[in-house]
Protein backbone atom coordinates (compact mmCIF):
# COMPACT_ATOMS: atom_id res chain seq x y z
CA UNK A 1 0.00 0.00 0.00
CA UNK A 2 2.92 2.33 0.66
CA UNK A 3 3.92 1.96 -3.00
CA UNK A 4 0.44 3.02 -4.09
CA UNK A 5 0.49 6.01 -1.72
CA UNK A 6 3.83 7.07 -3.17
CA UNK A 7 2.43 6.82 -6.68
CA UNK A 8 -0.61 8.88 -5.74
CA UNK A 9 1.67 11.67 -4.53
CA UNK A 10 2.81 12.07 -8.13
CA UNK A 11 -0.63 13.21 -9.27
CA UNK A 12 0.13 16.84 -8.43
CA UNK A 13 3.39 16.62 -10.39
CA UNK A 14 1.50 15.20 -13.39
CA UNK A 15 -0.95 18.13 -13.30
CA UNK A 16 1.86 20.68 -12.91
CA UNK A 17 3.83 19.27 -15.84
CA UNK A 18 0.70 19.11 -18.00
CA UNK A 19 0.33 22.89 -17.61
CA UNK A 20 4.04 23.72 -18.00
CA UNK A 21 6.27 24.49 -20.99
CA UNK A 22 7.95 21.09 -20.59
CA UNK A 23 5.30 19.52 -22.83
CA UNK A 24 6.83 21.21 -25.88
CA UNK A 25 9.25 18.25 -26.03
CA UNK A 26 6.54 15.60 -25.77
CA UNK A 27 5.89 13.18 -28.58
CA UNK A 28 2.89 10.88 -28.92
CA UNK A 29 4.57 8.18 -26.84
CA UNK A 30 5.22 10.55 -23.93
CA UNK A 31 1.64 11.79 -24.16
CA UNK A 32 0.33 8.22 -24.04
CA UNK A 33 2.35 7.53 -20.90
CA UNK A 34 0.92 10.62 -19.20
CA UNK A 35 -2.63 9.60 -20.12
CA UNK A 36 -1.93 6.06 -18.98
CA UNK A 37 -0.92 7.39 -15.57
CA UNK A 38 -4.15 9.40 -15.49
CA UNK A 39 -6.17 6.26 -16.27
CA UNK A 40 -4.24 4.38 -13.58
CA UNK A 41 -5.25 6.97 -11.00
CA UNK A 42 -8.85 6.60 -12.16
CA UNK A 43 -8.49 2.84 -11.71
CA UNK A 44 -7.36 3.42 -8.11
CA UNK A 45 -10.48 5.48 -7.54
CA UNK A 46 -12.71 2.69 -8.85
CA UNK A 47 -10.84 0.11 -6.81
CA UNK A 48 -10.85 1.88 -3.44
CA UNK A 49 -13.99 4.04 -3.50
CA UNK A 50 -15.96 1.43 -1.51
CA UNK A 51 -13.21 1.01 1.13
CA UNK A 52 -13.42 3.97 3.54
CA UNK A 53 -10.11 3.45 5.36
CA UNK A 54 -8.04 3.17 2.18
CA UNK A 55 -10.02 5.99 0.59
CA UNK A 56 -9.21 8.25 3.53
CA UNK A 57 -5.53 7.29 3.43
CA UNK A 58 -5.32 8.18 -0.26
CA UNK A 59 -7.18 11.43 0.37
CA UNK A 60 -4.78 12.46 3.15
CA UNK A 61 -1.78 11.79 0.94
CA UNK A 62 -3.29 13.84 -1.88
CA UNK A 63 -4.11 16.77 0.39
CA UNK A 64 -0.44 17.03 1.29
CA UNK A 65 0.36 17.75 -2.35
CA UNK A 66 1.44 21.23 -3.44
CA UNK A 67 0.66 23.47 -5.25
CA UNK A 68 -2.74 21.77 -5.50
CA UNK A 69 -4.18 21.90 -1.94
CA UNK A 70 -7.68 21.06 -3.22
CA UNK A 71 -6.72 17.58 -4.36
CA UNK A 72 -8.70 14.80 -2.71
CA UNK A 73 -9.76 11.23 -3.31
CA UNK A 74 -12.52 12.23 -5.81
CA UNK A 75 -9.80 13.87 -7.95
CA UNK A 76 -8.53 10.40 -8.84
CA UNK A 77 -11.83 9.59 -10.54
CA UNK A 78 -11.60 12.68 -12.75
CA UNK A 79 -7.89 12.47 -13.46
CA UNK A 80 -8.08 11.66 -17.22
CA UNK A 81 -10.34 14.64 -17.79
CA UNK A 82 -8.23 16.97 -15.63
CA UNK A 83 -4.99 16.01 -17.36
CA UNK A 84 -6.66 16.20 -20.77
CA UNK A 85 -8.04 19.67 -20.06
CA UNK A 86 -4.67 20.91 -18.77
CA UNK A 87 -2.97 19.71 -21.95
CA UNK A 88 -5.66 21.11 -24.26
CA UNK A 89 -5.20 24.55 -22.66
CA UNK A 90 -1.40 24.34 -22.93
CA UNK A 91 -0.22 26.05 -26.12
CA UNK A 92 3.23 24.53 -25.71
CA UNK A 93 1.91 21.06 -26.64
CA UNK A 94 3.21 20.14 -30.14
CA UNK A 95 0.59 19.76 -32.92
CA UNK A 96 1.20 16.02 -33.37
CA UNK A 97 0.77 15.36 -29.65
CA UNK A 98 -2.32 17.59 -29.61
CA UNK A 99 -3.94 15.57 -32.39
CA UNK A 100 -3.14 12.37 -30.53
CA UNK A 101 -4.65 13.85 -27.38
CA UNK A 102 -7.89 14.73 -29.17
CA UNK A 103 -8.19 11.21 -30.56
CA UNK A 104 -7.59 9.79 -27.11
CA UNK A 105 -10.22 12.01 -25.49
CA UNK A 106 -12.83 11.42 -28.17
CA UNK A 107 -12.24 7.66 -28.31
CA UNK A 108 -10.79 6.64 -24.93
CA UNK A 109 -10.05 2.99 -24.09
CA UNK A 110 -13.28 1.17 -23.24
CA UNK A 111 -15.47 3.90 -24.72
CA UNK A 112 -17.82 1.32 -26.16
CA UNK A 113 -18.72 -0.11 -22.74
CA UNK A 114 -20.90 2.83 -21.71
CA UNK A 115 -23.31 5.34 -23.21
CA UNK A 116 -20.64 8.10 -23.31
CA UNK A 117 -17.04 8.74 -22.24
CA UNK A 118 -17.19 9.00 -18.48
CA UNK A 119 -17.04 12.59 -17.35
CA UNK A 120 -15.99 14.00 -20.73
CA UNK A 121 -19.36 15.46 -21.67
CA UNK A 122 -19.81 16.81 -18.15
CA UNK A 123 -16.36 18.38 -18.25
CA UNK A 124 -17.15 20.04 -21.59
CA UNK A 125 -20.42 21.45 -20.27
CA UNK A 126 -18.73 22.85 -17.17
CA UNK A 127 -15.92 24.40 -19.16
CA UNK A 128 -18.41 26.02 -21.53
CA UNK A 129 -20.45 27.29 -18.58
CA UNK A 130 -17.34 28.73 -16.91
CA UNK A 131 -16.34 30.54 -20.11
CA UNK A 132 -19.86 31.89 -20.58
CA UNK A 133 -20.08 33.13 -16.98
CA UNK A 134 -16.72 34.88 -17.39
CA UNK A 135 -17.99 37.03 -20.28
CA UNK A 136 -18.54 40.69 -19.31
CA UNK A 137 -22.14 41.79 -19.53
CA UNK A 138 -24.41 44.56 -18.31
CA UNK A 139 -26.02 43.28 -15.09
CA UNK A 140 -29.82 43.04 -15.34
CA UNK A 141 -32.06 44.69 -12.79
CA UNK A 142 -32.93 41.83 -10.47
CA UNK A 143 -33.76 41.50 -6.77
CA UNK A 144 -30.66 40.95 -4.58
CA UNK A 145 -29.34 37.41 -4.90
CA UNK A 146 -31.39 36.61 -8.03
CA UNK A 147 -29.03 37.77 -10.78
CA UNK A 148 -28.85 35.05 -13.48
CA UNK A 149 -25.05 34.76 -13.33
CA UNK A 150 -25.08 34.49 -9.54
CA UNK A 151 -27.88 31.91 -9.66
CA UNK A 152 -25.89 29.85 -12.18
CA UNK A 153 -22.76 29.95 -10.02
CA UNK A 154 -24.78 28.95 -6.95
CA UNK A 155 -26.39 26.04 -8.81
CA UNK A 156 -22.99 24.83 -10.02
CA UNK A 157 -21.71 24.95 -6.45
CA UNK A 158 -24.69 22.91 -5.20
CA UNK A 159 -24.25 20.33 -7.96
CA UNK A 160 -20.57 19.88 -7.17
CA UNK A 161 -21.28 19.61 -3.44
CA UNK A 162 -23.79 16.81 -4.11
CA UNK A 163 -21.28 15.02 -6.34
CA UNK A 164 -18.66 15.28 -3.62
CA UNK A 165 -21.17 13.77 -1.19
CA UNK A 166 -21.77 10.80 -3.50
CA UNK A 167 -18.07 10.26 -4.11
CA UNK A 168 -16.58 11.03 -0.71
CA UNK A 169 -19.50 9.88 1.42
CA UNK A 170 -18.52 11.96 4.46
CA UNK A 171 -19.40 15.48 5.54
CA UNK A 172 -15.84 16.29 6.65
CA UNK A 173 -14.50 15.66 3.16
CA UNK A 174 -17.25 17.75 1.59
CA UNK A 175 -16.56 20.61 4.00
CA UNK A 176 -12.83 20.54 3.18
CA UNK A 177 -13.65 20.74 -0.50
CA UNK A 178 -16.14 23.57 0.05
CA UNK A 179 -13.66 25.59 2.14
CA UNK A 180 -11.00 25.21 -0.53
CA UNK A 181 -13.33 26.33 -3.33
CA UNK A 182 -14.77 29.34 -1.50
CA UNK A 183 -11.34 30.52 -0.37
CA UNK A 184 -10.41 30.94 -4.03
CA UNK A 185 -13.25 33.41 -4.63
CA UNK A 186 -13.07 37.10 -3.69
CA UNK A 187 -14.82 37.41 -0.33
CA UNK A 188 -17.82 39.46 -1.44
CA UNK A 189 -18.49 37.05 -4.32
CA UNK A 190 -18.11 34.00 -2.10
CA UNK A 191 -20.70 35.43 0.29
CA UNK A 192 -23.11 36.19 -2.56
CA UNK A 193 -22.78 32.68 -4.01
CA UNK A 194 -23.32 31.02 -0.62
CA UNK A 195 -26.38 33.19 0.07
CA UNK A 196 -27.80 32.42 -3.38
CA UNK A 197 -27.16 28.69 -2.87
CA UNK A 198 -28.96 28.71 0.49
CA UNK A 199 -31.89 30.56 -1.09
CA UNK A 200 -32.01 28.10 -4.01
CA UNK A 201 -32.23 25.16 -1.62
CA UNK A 202 -35.35 26.60 -0.01
CA UNK A 203 -36.91 27.66 -3.30
CA UNK A 204 -36.27 24.23 -4.83
CA UNK A 205 -37.65 22.29 -1.86
CA UNK A 206 -40.80 24.40 -1.90
CA UNK A 207 -41.41 23.68 -5.58
CA UNK A 208 -40.82 19.96 -5.13
CA UNK A 209 -43.17 19.85 -2.17
CA UNK A 210 -45.94 21.51 -4.19
CA UNK A 211 -45.40 19.14 -7.10
CA UNK A 212 -45.42 16.02 -4.91
CA UNK A 213 -48.43 16.98 -2.82
CA UNK A 214 -50.89 14.79 -4.73
CA UNK A 215 -48.55 11.99 -5.82
CA UNK A 216 -48.12 8.47 -4.54
CA UNK A 217 -45.90 7.19 -1.73
CA UNK A 218 -42.96 6.58 -4.04
CA UNK A 219 -42.85 10.25 -5.01
CA UNK A 220 -43.15 11.19 -1.36
CA UNK A 221 -40.18 8.98 -0.51
CA UNK A 222 -38.21 10.66 -3.31
CA UNK A 223 -39.12 14.09 -2.01
CA UNK A 224 -38.08 13.14 1.52
CA UNK A 225 -34.75 11.80 0.24
CA UNK A 226 -34.13 15.02 -1.72
CA UNK A 227 -35.11 17.11 1.30
CA UNK A 228 -32.64 15.19 3.47
CA UNK A 229 -29.88 15.71 0.89
CA UNK A 230 -30.69 19.42 0.66
CA UNK A 231 -30.59 19.62 4.45
CA UNK A 232 -27.09 18.12 4.51
CA UNK A 233 -25.95 20.50 1.77
CA UNK A 234 -27.36 23.51 3.63
CA UNK A 235 -25.66 22.28 6.80
CA UNK A 236 -22.28 22.32 5.04
CA UNK A 237 -22.82 25.86 3.75
CA UNK A 238 -23.90 27.04 7.21
CA UNK A 239 -20.93 25.29 8.84
CA UNK A 240 -18.57 27.22 6.59
CA UNK A 241 -20.45 30.46 7.18
CA UNK A 242 -21.00 30.26 10.95
CA UNK A 243 -17.75 28.51 11.81
CA UNK A 244 -15.87 31.79 11.81
CA UNK A 245 -17.35 34.84 13.55
CA UNK A 246 -15.33 37.34 11.56
CA UNK A 247 -16.46 35.68 8.32
CA UNK A 248 -20.11 35.70 9.38
CA UNK A 249 -19.88 39.37 10.40
CA UNK A 250 -18.44 40.26 6.98
CA UNK A 251 -21.17 38.17 5.34
CA UNK A 252 -23.90 40.14 7.12
CA UNK A 253 -22.30 43.48 6.27
CA UNK A 254 -21.94 42.50 2.62
CA UNK A 255 -25.53 41.41 1.92
CA UNK A 256 -28.73 43.49 1.82
CA UNK A 257 -30.95 43.20 4.86
CA UNK A 258 -33.88 41.87 2.81
CA UNK A 259 -31.88 38.85 1.67
CA UNK A 260 -30.56 38.25 5.18
CA UNK A 261 -34.11 38.36 6.52
CA UNK A 262 -35.20 35.78 3.92
CA UNK A 263 -32.38 33.43 4.92
CA UNK A 264 -33.02 33.99 8.63
CA UNK A 265 -36.66 33.10 8.07
CA UNK A 266 -35.70 29.71 6.61
CA UNK A 267 -32.64 28.75 8.66
CA UNK A 268 -33.07 28.93 12.44
CA UNK A 269 -29.36 28.41 13.03
CA UNK A 270 -28.58 31.47 10.93
CA UNK A 271 -31.36 33.58 12.50
CA UNK A 272 -30.01 32.97 16.02
CA UNK A 273 -26.48 33.93 15.00
CA UNK A 274 -27.75 36.97 13.10
CA UNK A 275 -29.75 38.24 16.09
CA UNK A 276 -26.73 37.72 18.34
CA UNK A 277 -24.60 39.72 15.93
CA UNK A 278 -27.14 42.55 15.73
CA UNK A 279 -27.25 42.57 19.53
CA UNK A 280 -23.48 42.93 19.69
CA UNK A 281 -23.53 45.77 17.17
CA UNK A 282 -26.37 47.54 18.97
CA UNK A 283 -24.57 47.35 22.30
CA UNK A 284 -21.83 49.60 20.86
CA UNK A 285 -24.21 52.51 20.25
CA UNK A 286 -24.41 55.44 22.68
CA UNK A 287 -27.07 58.13 22.90
CA UNK A 288 -25.85 61.67 22.23
CA UNK A 289 -28.28 64.11 23.94
CA UNK A 290 -26.82 67.08 22.03
CA UNK A 291 -27.61 65.48 18.68
CA UNK A 292 -30.70 63.70 19.99
CA UNK A 293 -29.77 60.38 18.38
CA UNK A 294 -27.80 57.19 18.82
CA UNK A 295 -24.20 57.30 17.58
CA UNK A 296 -21.30 54.89 17.36
CA UNK A 297 -19.33 54.76 20.58
CA UNK A 298 -16.21 53.39 18.93
CA UNK A 299 -15.75 53.36 15.20
CA UNK A 300 -13.48 50.31 15.23
CA UNK A 301 -16.12 48.21 17.04
CA UNK A 302 -19.58 49.38 16.01
CA UNK A 303 -20.23 48.00 12.55
CA UNK A 304 -23.65 49.60 12.00
CA UNK A 305 -25.12 53.03 12.54
CA UNK A 306 -28.44 53.47 14.33
CA UNK A 307 -30.25 53.87 11.00
CA UNK A 308 -28.71 50.69 9.56
CA UNK A 309 -29.45 48.69 12.72
CA UNK A 310 -33.06 49.90 12.73
CA UNK A 311 -33.53 48.91 9.09
CA UNK A 312 -32.18 45.40 9.70
CA UNK A 313 -34.53 44.80 12.62
CA UNK A 314 -37.39 46.22 10.55
CA UNK A 315 -36.68 43.70 7.78
CA UNK A 316 -36.70 40.85 10.30
CA UNK A 317 -40.06 42.01 11.67
CA UNK A 318 -41.46 42.03 8.14
CA UNK A 319 -40.48 38.40 7.60
CA UNK A 320 -42.37 35.24 8.49
CA UNK A 321 -44.58 35.13 11.58
CA UNK A 322 -42.06 32.92 13.38
CA UNK A 323 -39.17 35.23 12.56
CA UNK A 324 -41.16 38.28 13.65
CA UNK A 325 -42.03 36.64 16.97
CA UNK A 326 -38.42 35.57 17.49
CA UNK A 327 -37.15 39.10 16.77
CA UNK A 328 -39.80 40.66 18.99
CA UNK A 329 -38.99 38.30 21.86
CA UNK A 330 -35.28 39.07 21.54
CA UNK A 331 -35.85 42.83 21.60
CA UNK A 332 -38.22 42.63 24.57
CA UNK A 333 -35.72 40.54 26.51
CA UNK A 334 -32.94 43.00 25.75
CA UNK A 335 -35.18 45.90 26.77
CA UNK A 336 -35.97 44.21 30.10
CA UNK A 337 -32.32 43.45 30.78
CA UNK A 338 -31.50 47.09 30.01
CA UNK A 339 -33.96 48.40 32.61
CA UNK A 340 -37.30 48.22 30.75
CA UNK A 341 -37.31 51.96 30.04
CA UNK A 342 -40.17 53.58 28.19
CA UNK A 343 -38.41 56.88 27.56
CA UNK A 344 -36.41 57.57 24.38
CA UNK A 345 -32.65 57.81 24.65
CA UNK A 346 -32.15 55.51 27.65
CA UNK A 347 -32.07 52.10 25.95
CA UNK A 348 -31.30 51.36 22.34
CA UNK A 349 -33.58 48.30 22.56
CA UNK A 350 -36.54 50.30 23.86
CA UNK A 351 -36.10 52.78 21.04
CA UNK A 352 -35.80 50.00 18.46
CA UNK A 353 -39.02 48.38 19.66
CA UNK A 354 -40.85 51.69 19.26
CA UNK A 355 -39.25 52.45 15.88
CA UNK A 356 -39.67 49.12 14.06
CA UNK A 357 -43.18 48.48 15.34
CA UNK A 358 -42.68 44.84 16.31
Amino acid sequence: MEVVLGQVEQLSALLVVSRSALVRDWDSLTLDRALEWARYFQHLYDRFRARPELREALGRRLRRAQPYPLLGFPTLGRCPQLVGLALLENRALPPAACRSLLRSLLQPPGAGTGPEPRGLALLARRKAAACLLALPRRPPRCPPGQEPQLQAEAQLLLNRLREEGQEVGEAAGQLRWLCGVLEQLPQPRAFEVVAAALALLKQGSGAEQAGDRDRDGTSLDGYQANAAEDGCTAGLLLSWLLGNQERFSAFCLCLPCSLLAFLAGHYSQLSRSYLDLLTAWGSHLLYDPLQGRWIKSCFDKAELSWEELRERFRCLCQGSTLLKEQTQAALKLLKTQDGDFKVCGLSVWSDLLMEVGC
Side-chain angles (χ1 to χ4, degrees):
M1 187 62 192
E2 191 60 37
V3 174
V4 173
L5 291 174
Q7 292 171 337
V8 164
E9 281 189 328
Q10 302 306 311
L11 173 56
S12 61
L14 176 61
L15 292 172
V16 169
V17 171
S18 298
R19 294 190 176 278
S20 74
L22 294 175
V23 301
R24 68 164 52 95
D25 299 322
W26 283 18
D27 54 18
S28 296
L29 183 60
T30 308
L31 174 69
D32 289 342
R33 283 200 298 267
L35 295 177
E36 187 61 36
W37 270 107
R39 288 190 288 270
Y40 170 70
F41 290 134
Q42 187 181 61
H43 165 73
L44 292 180
Y45 172 83
D46 293 333
R47 181 179 176 186
F48 296 121
R49 62 183 302 181
R51 304 174 68 177
E53 292 183 1
L54 295 178
R55 188 177 63 202
E56 179 59 28
L58 290 168
R60 283 197 303 269
R61 190 61 64 96
L62 281 167
R63 287 192 292 273
R64 287 164 42 183
Q66 294 292 337
Y68 285 91
L70 293 182
L71 295 182
F73 180 76
T75 311
L76 296 175
R78 298 189 293 270
C79 196
Q81 290 77 39
L82 293 174
V83 173
L85 180 62
L87 290 169
L88 284 174
E89 293 179 334
N90 192 341
R91 295 186 178 184
L93 189 68
C98 188
R99 288 193 294 270
S100 179
L101 172 63
L102 288 172
R103 285 195 297 270
S104 176
L105 291 176
L106 293 173
Q107 295 180 343
T113 60
E116 64 179 25
R118 189 175 91 175
L120 186 58
L122 182 60
L123 181 69
R125 288 197 295 270
R126 284 183 180 154
K127 186 63 178 177
C131 292
L132 183 62
L133 291 172
L135 292 175
R137 58 174 59 84
R138 180 178 297 175
R141 293 182 179 179
C142 297
Q146 296 184 20
E147 298 88 344
Q149 182 174 346
L150 182 59
Q151 294 272 299
E153 292 178 10
Q155 190 61 64
L156 285 172
L157 178 65
L158 291 175
N159 291 344
R160 283 293 293 117
L161 256 180
R162 290 172 182 134
E163 288 177 12
E164 287 292 317
Q166 294 169 358
E167 294 174 346
V168 177
E170 58 174 9
Q174 288 177 274
L175 186 57
R176 281 194 298 269
W177 178 87
L178 178 65
C179 291
V181 168
L182 293 176
E183 285 171 3
Q184 295 185 68
L185 293 176
Q187 198 171 75
R189 194 58 175 178
F191 294 152
E192 293 168 354
V193 171
V194 168
L198 287 168
L200 278 175
L201 287 172
K202 288 304 176 182
Q203 293 165 2
S205 63
E208 288 181 14
Q209 188 175 22
D212 288 344
R213 191 169 293 154
D214 298 323
R215 297 180 185 175
D216 57 17
T218 303
S219 297
L220 182 59
D221 291 343
Y223 164 72
Q224 291 173 341
N226 290 337
E229 183 182 31
D230 286 350
C232 292
T233 303
L236 291 167
L237 293 169
L238 291 172
S239 293
W240 176 82
L241 187 58
L242 302 177
N244 182 293
Q245 184 62 28
E246 184 178 347
R247 178 189 298 150
F248 181 62
S249 177
F251 173 85
C252 293
L253 286 171
C254 172
L255 298 178
C257 57
S258 58
L259 179 55
L260 288 168
F262 173 83
L263 296 177
H266 287 85
Y267 297 99
S268 59
Q269 188 178 356
L270 188 145
S271 68
R272 290 192 298 270
S273 297
Y274 186 37
L275 281 171
D276 289 343
L277 184 61
L278 291 178
T279 301
W281 285 340
S283 66
H284 294 141
L285 295 175
L286 288 178
Y287 190 78
D288 186 342
L290 297 179
Q291 299 185 46
R293 65 187 184 92
W294 292 92
I295 62 171
K296 297 179 180 181
S297 61
C298 184
F299 284 94
D300 63 342
K301 288 185 178 180
E303 303 291 353
L304 293 179
S305 67
W306 158 257
E307 291 77 15
E308 292 167 331
L309 187 69
R310 179 184 59 194
E311 184 59 27
R312 286 174 183 265
F313 273 106
R314 180 171 288 149
C315 281
L316 291 176
C317 289
Q318 292 172 349
S320 65
T321 302
L322 181 62
L323 182 61
K324 179 179 179 180
E325 291 175 351
Q326 183 183 7
T327 304
Q328 186 179 37
L331 283 174
K332 286 183 176 179
L333 178 61
L334 289 166
K335 175 189 173 186
T336 302
Q337 292 174 343
D338 223 14
D340 201 17
F341 297 107
K342 295 180 174 61
V343 180
C344 292
L346 296 179
S347 169
V348 66
W349 314 117
S350 299
D351 290 5
L352 277 171
L353 268 171
M354 289 186 287
E355 287 277 347
V356 302
C358 274

